Amino acid sequence: MKTVNQVDISFLSVSGNEAFARAAAVAFLLSADPTVNDISDVKTALSEAVTNSIIHAYKETTGKVYVSMKLTDERAVIIKVRDKGSGIADVEKAMEPLFSTGGEEQAGIGFSVMQSFSDSLKVKSAPGKGTTVTIVKKLSSKDDIKNITVKKHERE
């Protein structure tokens, strides 16, 4: 896969920047002419990854969240969300549905949500060194969009 476009941004781990990350992702994706569903899926997965960094990586302090987005010639979006926070001791356990270290106010579904809205999800982490979440989402092809439109019109 060849990278056809890329953007790298960083911001402080404050909750308002979750909306900034989503808006940046939409602006970045527009050049690929994505579907509404593609945009929604990317925004949801990215939002969960950024929220995890804000809430869990920097519990008692403020740090930076780094987001890298690449668009490939195969219409795949590769998003990396990285922090230099507390890290995750047991990634496998953390990825189990309903597991949370955030107390009763956290549902423990962040990684499950990321997985359900992406084609691939990888989490790399080390205690005290931070976490990198890599999300891959394959955008709908132009042929997929045409086929959906044709089938819809055939039913009418």
Side-chain angles (χ1 to χ4, degrees), residues 36-107:
V36 172
N37 286 340
D38 289 336
I39 292 171
S40 180
D41 290 354
V42 169
K43 282 177 26 179
T44 302
L46 173 64
S47 184
E48 287 295 328
V50 169
T51 298
N52 274 2
S53 286
I54 290 170
I55 292 173
H56 299 292
Y58 303 109
K59 290 179 183 171
E60 302 297 323
T61 186
T62 301
K64 278 195 173 180
V65 178
Y66 305 86
V67 177
S68 172
M69 293 181 273
K70 291 181 183 180
L71 181 62
T72 74
D73 59 347
E74 296 178 7
R75 294 185 56 79
V77 180
I78 303 167
I79 301 171
K80 289 189 180 194
V81 177
R82 183 174 57 88
D83 63 64
K84 295 180 181 179
S86 59
I88 302 169
D90 187 343
V91 171
E92 207 171 300
K93 181 75 173 166
M95 292 184 76
E96 290 178 8
L98 307 179
F99 176 81
S100 178
T101 60
E104 291 180 20
E105 66 276 359
Q106 300 299 316

Side-chain angles (χ1 to χ4, degrees), residues 16 45 55 98 112-113 138:
I55 292 173
L98 307 179
S112 296
V113 169
K138 182 88 168 150

